């Protein structure tokens, strides 16, 4: 297709990509664009059993298929231990994907309550600097993640204040179907990662911008 875009989604854990940009992934892929999802951490030993990780990877691949993800990569860093990895190593892992994939748009997690989200955000900021291949990135934006982003302490920590809402009205059911793949991660209502909560947030973000369902982003850098 003409003007085909390459979209990179950097997710700290399996399911963050669906919670944050599942509708956008489905929308972009449906329009013929190429979407690459990189999962940085996972439910791995020593905190989790390796079987937990295998389950979430299986769930994520099912979700990827539903949303139309073109390709993916799992860095396999144990969840909550990312701080013990040398900063340059994590930066280089993300930069390697950027150099190979050459994205036009990069979505990363907002630096919220979860330490993994904050550290991944910082590494993405380094890897996407507007030098070298980074100069070709047209949009760098942070997404919100239910159960983490809205638990930041207001005014003490960064507040998520969206300045871009993507219309996912035609792709909301695809997002929810993908989220249902994560049987080990979603919770019953009123859990923050319940289907009802995700639906409610998308309605709220959508109506903020004048349409039925939306996903909110904070644009960090945009060039044209």
């Amino acid at each position: 297709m003409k003007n085909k875009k390459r979209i990179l989604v950097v997710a700290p854990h399996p399911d963050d990509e669906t919670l944050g940009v599942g509708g956008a992934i489905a929308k972009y892929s449906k329009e013929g664009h190429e979407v690459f999802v990189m999962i940085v951490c996972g439910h791995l030993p020593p905190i989790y059993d390796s079987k937990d990780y295998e389950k979430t990877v299986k769930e994520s691949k099912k979700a990827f298929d539903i949303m139309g993800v073109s390709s993916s990569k799992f860095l396999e860093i144990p969840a909550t231990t990312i701080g013990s990895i040398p900063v340059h190593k994590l930066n280089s892992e993300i930069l390697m994907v950027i150099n190979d994939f050459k994205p036009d748009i990069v979505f990363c997690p907002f630096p919220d309550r979860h330490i993994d989200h904050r550290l991944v955000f910082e590494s993405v900021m380094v890897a996407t600097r507007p030098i070298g291949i980074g100069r070709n990135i047209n949009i760098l934006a942070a997404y919100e993640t239910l159960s983490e982003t809205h638990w930041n302490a207001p005014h003490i920590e960064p507040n998520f204040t969206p300045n871009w809402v993507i219309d996912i009205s035609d792709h909301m059911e695809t997002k929810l179907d993908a989220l249902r793949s994560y049987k080990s991660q979603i919770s019953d209502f009123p859990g923050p990662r319940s289907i009802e909560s995700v639906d409610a947030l998308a309605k709220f973000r959508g109506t903020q911008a004048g349409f039925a369902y939306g996903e909110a982003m904070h644009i960090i850098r945009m060039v044209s």
Side-chain angles (χ1 to χ4, degrees):
M1 65 174 289
K2 188 177 181 180
N3 297 323
K4 180 178 179 179
K5 301 290 187 184
R6 291 181 297 276
I7 296 97
L8 172 63
V9 178
V10 184
H13 316 97
D15 83 351
D16 288 333
E17 81 296 327
T18 305
L19 288 166
V21 284
I25 291 172
K27 179 174 185 169
Y28 282 125
S29 63
K30 186 74 172 179
E31 292 174 351
H33 304 294
E34 186 177 358
V35 181
F36 187 116
V37 174
M38 174 166 53
I39 307 294
V40 178
C41 305
H43 295 79
L44 287 157
I47 299 176
Y48 301 93
D49 190 281
S50 58
K51 290 182 179 178
D52 296 324
Y53 178 68
E54 293 169 5
K55 180 186 295 184
T56 55
V57 168
K58 184 177 180 180
E59 291 172 342
S60 66
K61 289 182 177 179
K62 182 178 179 181
F64 293 173
D65 286 342
I66 292 171
M67 294 184 291
V69 172
S70 305
S71 51
S72 61
K73 182 180 176 111
F74 295 80
L75 298 188
E76 299 188 340
I77 298 172
T80 73
T81 69
I82 194 170
S84 63
I85 296 172
V87 173
H88 73 274
K89 183 176 180 182
L90 179 60
N91 294 352
S92 64
E93 290 271 12
I94 295 174
L95 181 59
M96 189 181 304
V97 170
I98 290 172
N99 285 334
D100 291 342
F101 184 57
K102 301 177 177 60
D104 301 293
I105 299 171
V106 176
F107 292 117
C108 69
F110 183 79
D112 56 36
R113 169 60 29 231
H114 202 303
I115 184 62
D116 289 348
H117 293 204
R118 279 179 267 157
L119 294 177
V120 169
F121 168 82
E122 291 176 4
S123 280
V124 170
M125 289 299 295
V126 172
T128 58
R129 288 175 296 181
I131 56 175
I133 199 68
R135 289 196 298 267
N136 298 325
I137 296 172
N138 297 321
I139 299 176
L140 171 63
Y143 56 84
E144 61 183 331
T145 309
L146 271 172
S147 85
E148 304 296 351
T149 304
H150 66 311
W151 284 344
N152 274 22
H155 308 297
I156 298 173
E157 299 176 294
N159 290 341
F160 181 77
T161 306
N163 51 18
W164 179 27
V165 181
I166 299 174
D167 185 353
I168 63 166
S169 301
D170 294 334
H171 307 280
M172 188 62 201
E173 284 307 313
T174 302
K175 176 186 175 93
L176 294 180
D177 284 344
L179 187 62
R180 290 186 183 98
S181 299
Y182 287 105
K183 296 184 184 301
S184 67
Q185 303 302 308
I186 61 173
S187 56
D188 294 330
F189 186 75
R193 294 196 176 198
S194 63
I195 295 297
E196 294 88 346
S197 295
V198 173
D199 184 78
L201 177 62
K203 283 180 179 176
F204 174 63
R205 293 306 189 194
T207 56
Q208 280 185 309
F211 36 77
Y213 291 94
E215 285 175 339
M217 311 291 160
H218 184 90
I219 295 175
I220 300 164
R221 187 174 70 251
M222 180 170 63
V223 298
S224 61

